[in-house]
Amino acid sequence: MKLYAISDLHVGAAENREAVEELSPHPEDWLIIAGDVGETGEDLDFTLRTLTPRFRQLIWVPGNHELWTLPRSHLRGEAKYRQLVSVCQSYGVLTPEDPYPRWPGEGPPRIIAPLFLLYDYSFRPDEVREEDAVQWAADSGVMCTDEAVLFPDPYPSRSAWCAARCEQARERLEAIPAEYSTILVNHFPLRRHHARLPRIPRFSIWCGTRRTEDWHQRFRAEVVVTGHLHIPLTFWDDGVRFEEVSLGYPRQWKHRRGIDQALRQILPATTAPSPSPIFRG
């Protein structure tokens, strides 16, 4: 039995949708889908309808794109998220709202913890105030679509929603018995210095929260699985393996690999610790 992961499927793009349809079956294995399946409930439904029969178990966490409120949609914020959770649960897909599963494969006892933590603009220089962060990014020509279509209702801000989600997750993670290591799964990077985007460095403010900076150690992570950056990598930090598992948009992957090659094997481990990141493009 193997545990695989992938994120940023973006099935609103025709080529990505076709790729999902072509993904080979793994009937004995589990698959983590680490966010940004698409922008609509139909995108999520299509993906789960297609992949659920091909894997023993799916696990999903939301990205920012799933949470967008587009013109034809009326649900916002928490209500939109809960609708997506309902879609997942109708297919038997595990979400951040379900009990954390124990990994049933070989090896020491492990808990897989799917997380929904969002971001709070804190991946910014210390001298930039939170209220100035979006303008700081805009001054470099960078703006995230979230600012127009990702609403935090009923929270007063995305930062407040992020704080609430982090507190809920922290309490649950602290309750995991000490004999278990963890596989932490979140769409956004957990550490500030992991949000490295060479072409658009100030996009980092939409990439996570400093609240999770030490979670890989605090909660005994064996592996941390994330997406969002569209820079697929394997690297080690403090002895913990971090996997950025995004597929990305067609222009980012189609000339390099097929979707079967984009699936990242999380367990059992296939690579030894390395001092240098391993690019998975």
Side-chain angles (χ1 to χ4, degrees), residues 1-5 29-33 57-61 94-105 108-115 172-173 176 180-186 219-225 266-267:
M1 179 183 290
K2 297 176 182 177
L3 176 64
Y4 290 99
D29 304 322
W30 287 30
L31 175 65
I32 292 166
I33 303 174
Q57 180 66 61
L58 298 185
I59 299 172
W60 169 86
V61 300
L94 298 175
T95 78
E97 304 311 307
D98 294 300
Y100 296 154
R102 175 175 176 173
W103 171 240
R110 304 172 173 107
I111 293 291
I112 303 174
L115 307 170
R172 294 183 64 190
L173 290 168
I176 296 174
Y180 287 92
S181 61
T182 62
I183 311 297
L184 301 181
V185 182
N186 188 50
F219 299 120
R220 305 176 303 283
E222 179 179 345
V223 189
V224 176
V225 177
I266 306 302
L267 295 175

Side-chain angles (χ1 to χ4, degrees), residues 56 61 148 174 183 198 203-206 210 214 219 239 241 244 279 281:
R56 177 173 290 189
V61 300
E174 287 179 345
I183 311 297
F203 193 84
S204 62
I205 63 171
W206 294 285
R210 297 193 197 188
D214 67 345
F219 299 120
R241 177 160 51 102
E244 206 282 1
F279 179 60

Side-chain angles (χ1 to χ4, degrees), residues 10 16 118 127 157 184 201 217 224 253:
H10 293 290
N16 287 35
L118 212 55
E127 66 271 17
S157 65
L184 301 181
Q217 294 179 309
V224 176
W253 68 267

Side-chain angles (χ1 to χ4, degrees), residues 79-264:
K80 178 69 180 290
Y81 169 62
R82 294 292 172 175
Q83 180 197 46
L84 299 170
V85 168
S86 294
V87 172
C88 289
Q89 293 177 337
S90 73
Y91 285 99
V93 175
L94 298 175
T95 78
E97 304 311 307
D98 294 300
Y100 296 154
R102 175 175 176 173
W103 171 240
E106 295 182 356
R110 304 172 173 107
I111 293 291
I112 303 174
L115 307 170
F116 166 38
L117 305 177
L118 212 55
Y119 55 81
D120 62 3
Y121 306 95
S122 59
F123 286 0
R124 65 183 191 274
D126 293 340
E127 66 271 17
V128 177
R129 300 180 303 172
E130 179 180 345
E131 57 267 34
D132 298 329
V134 173
Q135 186 59 53
W136 172 76
D139 288 345
S140 70
V142 174
M143 182 57 64
C144 183
T145 305
D146 291 3
E147 294 300 314
V149 295
L150 199 165
F151 300 97
D153 307 29
Y155 297 93
S157 65
R158 298 176 195 89
S159 295
W161 196 5
C162 171
R165 292 300 312 185
C166 287
E167 180 62 18
Q168 293 167 26
R170 181 192 62 78
E171 292 178 357
R172 294 183 64 190
L173 290 168
E174 287 179 345
I176 296 174
E179 64 266 25
Y180 287 92
S181 61
T182 62
I183 311 297
L184 301 181
V185 182
N186 188 50
H187 179 67
F188 304 93
L190 296 188
R191 309 200 73 192
R192 178 186 173 191
H193 70 279
H194 292 175
R196 292 180 286 225
L197 295 152
R199 294 183 180 179
I200 47 172
R202 295 190 183 189
F203 193 84
S204 62
I205 63 171
W206 294 285
C207 290
T209 171
R210 297 193 197 188
R211 296 173 185 271
T212 59
E213 186 69 23
D214 67 345
W215 281 22
H216 62 296
Q217 294 179 309
R218 184 176 180 183
F219 299 120
R220 305 176 303 283
E222 179 179 345
V223 189
V224 176
V225 177
T226 62
H228 192 57
L229 303 182
H230 293 202
I231 304 174
L233 290 171
T234 299
F235 57 96
W236 283 261
D237 204 348
D238 298 322
V240 177
R241 177 160 51 102
F242 287 78
E243 299 278 5
E244 206 282 1
V245 298
S246 57
L247 179 66
Y249 297 115
R251 68 180 183 274
Q252 297 170 317
W253 68 267
K254 199 170 182 182
H255 67 290
R256 296 196 303 259
R257 56 184 174 162
I259 192 168
D260 284 314
Q261 289 70 46
L263 279 188
R264 191 76 51 80

